[in-house]
Amino acid sequence: REKDEKYKTWMPKFLMAKEDKDWRKSSDDVERNIFKLKKSNAEKSKKMEKEEKIFRETFMYDKEIKVINTATAECSVRSKRRVDLPVTAGEQLDVIDVTEGNAVICRNSEGRYGYVLVEHLNFR
């Protein structure tokens, strides 16, 4: 037994294989991280549902929400009315519906809905 210990090579901790370091993490830590991610996704989806409900009430929109196209905002535009969607230059928007005028109903990455003028959008 003394011979085995005598010839055992010493390795600094920073050169240890990654698998050897993983033994320090308990399975509880891993499970906790998974639950944190799911919680944030659940909160985000809850917020999206709330925004959708507000959109349906404000616009009296009873159709199915389908993404027709995606567009990029060419310039930053502030909202003048409550129903307008404020956009920043380069922001990606999902086009939900086309209206009779020169505006379209869009959704941004935060889940907010509103009218955006076609002249401010760049379609791919």
Side-chain angles (χ1 to χ4, degrees):
R1 185 173 179 193
E2 290 176 4
K3 277 187 176 181
D4 293 339
E5 288 180 15
K6 189 175 183 182
Y7 294 108
K8 190 175 180 181
T9 57
W10 176 82
M11 278 183 96
K13 287 186 180 181
F14 63 87
L15 291 178
M16 288 175 61
K18 196 172 191 177
E19 296 134 8
D20 295 339
K21 290 182 181 180
D22 288 341
W23 66 271
R24 292 183 213 152
K25 293 181 182 178
S26 67
S27 61
D28 295 336
D29 293 340
V30 175
E31 288 177 22
R32 285 186 195 133
N33 289 339
I34 292 170
F35 290 130
K36 284 181 185 176
L37 290 174
K38 286 183 180 177
K39 186 177 179 184
S40 66
N41 287 342
E43 289 173 2
K44 192 172 184 179
S45 66
K46 195 173 185 179
K47 184 181 177 189
M48 294 280 245
E49 287 175 15
K50 183 181 174 187
E51 290 289 343
E52 182 180 332
K53 184 180 177 185
I54 293 169
F55 162 69
R56 287 189 181 279
E57 289 172 359
T58 306
F59 289 77
M60 291 180 269
Y61 196 83
D62 58 350
K63 299 182 217 172
E64 181 185 352
I65 296 176
K66 288 194 303 186
V67 177
I68 298 170
N69 201 345
T70 56
T72 308
E74 289 184 338
C75 58
S76 298
V77 181
R78 302 178 98 189
S79 61
K80 296 174 184 156
R81 302 176 297 169
R82 184 173 179 227
V83 293
D84 292 336
L85 182 66
V87 293
T88 56
E91 183 178 11
Q92 295 242 338
L93 301 169
D94 295 330
V95 178
I96 304 298
D97 202 357
V98 181
T99 60
E100 291 177 12
N102 62 345
V104 290
I105 299 174
C106 294
R107 177 178 59 196
N108 65 7
S109 60
E110 296 171 4
R112 294 193 58 209
Y113 295 85
Y115 289 115
V116 180
L117 294 174
V118 176
E119 59 200 41
H120 299 302
L121 297 176
N122 181 16
F123 294 94
R124 296 177 196 187

